[in-house]
Amino acid sequence: MSNRYPHLFTPLDLGFTTLKNRVIMGSMHTGLEETKGGFERLAAYFAERARGQVGLIVTGGVAPNIPGRLQPIAGKLTNAKEMRQHQMITQAVHQEDGKICLQILHAGRYGYHPFSVAPSRIKSPITPFTPWKMTKRGIRRTIQAYARCAALAKEAGYDGVEIMGSEGYLINQFIVKHTNKRTDEWGGSYENRIKFPTEIVRSVREKVGEDFIVMYRLSMLDLIKDGSSWEEVIQLAKAIEAAGANIIGTGIGWHESRVPTIATMVPRSVFSDVTKKLMGEVNIPLITSNRINTPERANQLLAEGYADLVSMARPFLADPEIILKSMEGREDEINVCIACNQACLDHGFEGKLASCLVNPRACRETELNFVSTPQKKKIAVVGAGPAGLSASTGAAKCGHEVHLFERASEIGGQFNMAKQIPGKEEFYETIRYFKKQLEVTGVQVHLNTKADVEVLKDFDAVILATGVTPRDIQLPGQDHPKVLTYIDVLRHKKPVGNKVAVIGAGGVGFDVSEYLLHPEGQQEEPDREAFLQQWGIDLEVKTAGGLAAPVLAPPQREIYLLKRSKGKHGANLGKTTGWIHRRSLKMHNVHMIAEVQYQKVDDEGLHIIVNGESKVLDVDHVVICAGQVALKELYEPLKAQGVQVHLVGGAFEAKELDAKAAIKQATELVVGL
């Protein structure tokens, strides 16, 4: 076992039970909870993570009653029939010598249904329904519902429960003035407002007894107006400890907060300062969380006294064996979470099953597996971008002989450009992972090699992952020295002037704009202080809620982000990250102009028509980011030779650059070969 992480692998003795290490798999709702046959799939999903040696698993949020559900059919635990379904999960985890807690979550005004309730009748900005104000009797019944849910969890075999008291859900709504306008004993003074969470913890403890883990997730940094002050956070933590909690976890930000807390542009472990600030104020273990995705960082936080335990949620979607690989000294084989949100949170908010961009097996453990083939084939993969890397390593895992051809001198494809975008530095990790996987799986890699029909015609199957090329928009004057493509800027590093027009407001246009706003030269990870200043985050919590006035470094360039269509810019960006990208560009004074007709480019600049008015943008350069065309010229010639040929990724469908679809499609293809 690796001894590089002594703090990470130190057991935690809670008296009545012991956690094998200090790593918690944080709560994530997958959508399997409401899917037909979902509990069997959840059992396999959690069992695989338990087999990976995580110290404690926390389930996705489960409502304690009907009004508490996130959606009309969302999961709840209120009766014996529902309890028996959960036994499938606990038995599967315990068979792998794991421990698991049920998260009890009441959505409050975040409930996406007309029966939602809250301490006050104040509508959430992220849901269409105005909640019903809870009566005194309703409050008492809700407290009892939490206790009943915890008792059912214990009967189902769970090792404990986590009471969700952060992220702006019901309990959080009682705690802060922002959402609690009551004048009775459940509102007004802070003592009254924290009566709800403390009564819940006390009732749960009385119901389940002492030999059961009771965790409480406490919002230590609300990041909203009229949030909790630091003195109030300490007061609540002490009250929760006195009420009977064994462990307190860190919650950062409400879902309605306009501050990014877990997306890829958030520096690693930046919010752990808040947990450290609470260390020593209570006598029970504290968990730190948010953007901790490697064993090195997790161990460092524990060693430096930031917390007693570390929560990593999405990293267990990316790699269920992250802890096992760390124990065995195989860190270079870890598929690190890049915090893109594209297949996890975005799917959740779109009503789809969660998964992972870099690991499409996540939540599909019963149906998508690399099974050794009885019929070994000789397979060629052309193109070493995300689709080609996934196809080649996946096919090799299934036992095929695989040759990967790449015309460039390095693997990675479009990810080599993406990793240069400020806030997307994590994309380097995926390239690093696949580079190791090529070695581990025995793929024969041919760099600086342009594969042709003559080279490929004798393979049993050929997978074309040749990607895309920028679309020709036939702009008059596009051969002018002012005109560049995004590939010219990101790959070839051609000089760009101080005034720039970017044509195309999709993901590529946003990335190029962000790139041009910052000093050139890639960093290893986002700048911590610049992030805190840009988004107005006060980790000292000198103001209630931890918000401060944003302070931005002056942008490197003046940028016009243009598009032909109507509507907001970046309309097709990720649901949980699009607003971040839009706000970031607006904060840097990027001019966003829609319904643009492009006339020509000449020495004067870019000639356009907007609202019937002709204009000339006096820019130094025009960067074209207006779509892509699939590169698949080998497809028909190979078919003519009788070769079994497949298209994946951008070669299959050239839309916005979509690594999620590319990796998923490639994985599904090779599993079925």
Side-chain angles (χ1 to χ4, degrees):
M1 180 185 293
S2 172
N3 59 2
R4 291 181 58 192
Y5 314 111
H7 299 277
L8 200 63
F9 297 133
T10 297
L12 178 65
D13 186 358
L14 294 174
F16 60 91
T17 191
T18 299
L19 305 185
K20 66 177 71 173
N21 56 53
R22 301 301 178 101
V23 183
I24 290 177
M25 174 179 161
S27 175
M28 293 175 287
H29 196 79
T30 65
L32 289 171
E33 295 85 351
E34 294 84 33
T35 303
K36 184 177 181 181
F39 277 86
E40 291 89 344
R41 293 173 64 179
L42 274 170
Y45 161 77
F46 285 126
E48 190 164 310
R49 275 80 191 161
R51 195 157 52 248
Q53 298 303 305
V54 61
L56 178 66
I57 295 169
V58 182
T59 70
V62 175
N65 57 19
I66 291 175
R69 294 185 296 186
L70 281 164
Q71 298 176 0
I73 60 168
K76 63 182 180 68
L77 179 54
T78 60
N79 56 54
K81 180 180 178 182
E82 292 166 345
M83 179 274 295
R84 285 190 288 273
Q85 290 180 305
H86 284 268
Q87 288 176 337
M88 289 185 243
I89 293 173
T90 59
Q91 289 169 5
V93 169
H94 291 155
Q95 284 173 4
E96 301 295 344
D97 193 31
K99 295 185 185 298
I100 185 167
C101 287
L102 176 89
Q103 186 189 76
I104 308 177
L105 182 153
H106 192 301
R109 71 177 191 155
Y110 284 172
Y112 209 86
H113 53 79
F115 308 109
S116 62
V117 297
S120 300
R121 192 168 169 77
I122 303 173
K123 181 182 173 296
S124 156
I126 60 174
T127 50
F129 301 98
T130 300
W132 298 95
K133 178 181 176 180
M134 296 176 74
T135 64
K136 293 181 182 180
R137 183 184 178 199
I139 292 171
R140 285 292 179 191
R141 291 179 64 181
T142 301
I143 293 170
Q144 293 169 7
Y146 272 91
R148 180 180 65 244
C149 184
L152 287 168
K154 184 174 184 179
E155 189 176 353
Y158 284 101
D159 300 282
V161 293
E162 178 181 67
I163 297 168
M164 180 48 140
S166 66
E167 266 71 13
Y169 292 113
L170 179 67
I171 292 176
N172 224 167
Q173 293 160 25
F174 267 91
I175 292 169
V176 303
K177 294 178 182 177
H178 181 70
T179 45
N180 187 344
K181 307 297 183 182
R182 301 178 74 97
T183 57
D184 58 11
E185 66 268 31
W186 302 100
S189 69
Y190 190 68
E191 289 75 10
N192 283 358
R193 285 183 275 125
I194 64 172
K195 185 178 175 182
F196 186 63
T198 53
E199 285 293 317
I200 288 172
V201 174
R202 186 175 294 110
S203 297
V204 166
R205 176 56 73 199
E206 290 174 355
K207 197 77 170 179
V208 299
E210 295 300 318
D211 59 340
F212 193 68
I213 301 170
V214 176
M215 302 163 60
Y216 180 88
R217 188 160 172 180
L218 193 153
S219 186
M220 297 186 194
L221 192 67
D222 291 322
L223 297 176
I224 58 165
K225 183 182 177 182
D226 294 329
S228 295
S229 68
W230 186 248
E231 293 72 23
E232 290 173 338
V233 169
I234 295 173
Q235 184 178 342
L236 176 57
K238 290 180 176 180
I240 293 299
E241 178 184 16
N246 302 104
I247 301 171
I248 291 177
T250 300
I252 300 293
W254 287 36
H255 285 311
E256 64 199 72
S257 170
R258 294 293 86 184
V259 176
T261 57
I262 59 172
T264 190
M265 70 287 299
V266 178
R268 291 181 181 180
S269 69
V270 68
F271 293 110
S272 292
D273 284 26
V274 181
T275 317
K276 187 176 185 180
K277 191 174 172 66
L278 192 61
M279 288 286 282
E281 297 287 353
V282 292
N283 298 310
I284 56 177
L286 298 182
I287 309 167
T288 195
S289 64
N290 287 54
R291 286 291 284 122
I292 304 165
N293 61 350
T294 66
E296 292 89 349
R297 183 60 59 91
N299 189 74
Q300 178 187 3
L301 291 169
L302 296 172
E304 295 178 3
Y306 281 79
D308 302 291
L309 298 125
V310 171
S311 173
M312 293 192 283
R314 294 170 300 166
F316 283 96
L317 287 178
D319 195 330
E321 294 186 328
I322 180 173
I323 301 305
L324 180 62
K325 290 175 181 178
S326 304
M327 295 170 67
E328 295 177 348
R330 297 189 290 129
E331 294 88 350
D332 55 353
E333 294 183 40
I334 293 173
N335 197 0
V336 171
C337 166
I338 61 175
C340 65
N341 288 3
Q342 292 182 33
C344 49
L345 270 75
D346 282 357
H347 279 203
F349 282 99
E350 293 167 1
K352 301 177 182 176
L353 287 181
S355 189
C356 178
L357 181 149
V358 299
N359 175 28
R361 281 195 66 251
C363 302
R364 300 180 65 186
E365 288 77 12
T366 60
E367 60 184 39
L368 190 60
N369 291 291
F370 300 108
V371 179
S372 183
T373 179
Q375 185 178 359
K376 183 176 180 178
K377 296 180 180 178
K378 186 178 180 182
I379 296 174
V381 179
V382 184
L389 292 169
S390 181
S392 56
T393 56
K397 288 176 185 177
C398 292
H400 300 294
E401 178 187 336
V402 183
H403 293 255
L404 175 62
F405 297 91
E406 170 56 53
R407 68 172 69 190
S409 60
E410 61 180 349
I411 67 167
Q414 303 283 359
F415 266 29
N416 285 313
M417 292 188 288
K419 71 182 183 183
Q420 301 175 67
I421 309 303
K424 290 191 172 181
E425 293 85 354
E426 292 283 14
F427 283 61
Y428 164 79
E429 291 284 6
T430 304
I431 301 173
R432 187 266 319 145
Y433 166 75
F434 274 121
K435 185 176 181 180
K436 182 64 178 179
Q437 287 301 300
L438 292 172
E439 175 188 326
V440 170
T441 59
V443 174
Q444 298 181 50
V445 181
H446 309 274
L447 298 176
N448 300 302
T449 303
K450 184 177 179 180
D452 56 23
V453 174
E454 189 62 30
V455 171
L456 300 172
K457 63 183 177 65
D458 294 326
F459 282 87
D460 297 318
V462 175
I463 299 172
L464 296 179
T466 39
V468 297
T469 190
R471 182 169 63 90
D472 181 2
I473 63 172
Q474 299 184 336
L475 174 67
Q478 66 185 28
D479 56 348
H480 193 281
K482 287 179 180 283
V483 180
L484 303 169
T485 68
Y486 65 88
I487 292 178
D488 291 328
V489 174
L490 297 176
R491 180 177 294 164
H492 301 306
K493 298 290 186 279
K494 291 190 176 181
V496 181
N498 292 325
K499 295 183 69 175
V500 185
V502 176
I503 294 178
V508 178
F510 268 77
D511 279 353
V512 168
S513 298
E514 193 73 52
Y515 175 81
L516 294 174
L517 286 170
H518 294 80
E520 295 180 13
Q522 186 183 353
Q523 299 183 24
E524 289 187 6
E525 63 178 278
D527 184 287
R528 184 179 187 277
E529 291 308 314
F531 169 79
L532 295 173
Q533 291 178 7
Q534 175 179 344
W535 293 97
I537 301 168
D538 172 23
L539 294 181
E540 292 294 316
V541 201
K542 295 175 182 176
T543 58
L547 290 176
V551 178
L552 276 76
Q556 294 292 299
R557 295 175 174 87
E558 182 179 7
I559 296 176
Y560 296 85
L561 182 57
L562 313 173
K563 66 173 195 152
R564 293 182 189 271
S565 59
K566 297 180 180 181
K568 67 182 179 183
H569 284 53
N572 294 323
L573 297 177
K575 190 172 182 66
T576 61
T577 55
W579 68 270
I580 303 173
H581 298 303
R582 283 188 290 272
R583 189 173 182 198
S584 178
L585 296 194
K586 288 178 181 177
M587 292 165 83
H588 286 97
N589 298 317
V590 171
H591 309 286
M592 299 189 189
I593 306 174
E595 298 183 71
V596 177
Q597 298 177 50
Y598 306 109
Q599 300 283 274
K600 64 178 180 178
V601 179
D602 59 19
D603 291 343
E604 292 183 71
L606 175 61
H607 296 250
I608 61 175
I609 298 176
V610 182
N611 296 325
E613 180 183 350
S614 296
K615 297 183 178 182
V616 179
L617 299 181
D618 178 20
V619 294
D620 301 308
H621 285 97
V622 177
V623 183
I624 299 175
C625 308
Q628 296 82 31
V629 176
L631 287 171
K632 51 183 178 183
E633 62 269 18
L634 287 171
Y635 183 70
E636 292 300 335
L638 285 170
K639 284 186 66 177
Q641 291 281 339
V643 178
Q644 183 187 24
V645 59
H646 306 273
L647 295 168
V648 293
F652 175 78
E653 185 176 19
K655 300 188 297 184
E656 279 290 328
L657 303 181
D658 190 347
K660 178 185 73 172
I663 293 174
K664 176 176 179 288
Q665 182 187 34
T667 302
E668 291 173 341
L669 170 66
V670 297
V671 165
L673 280 177

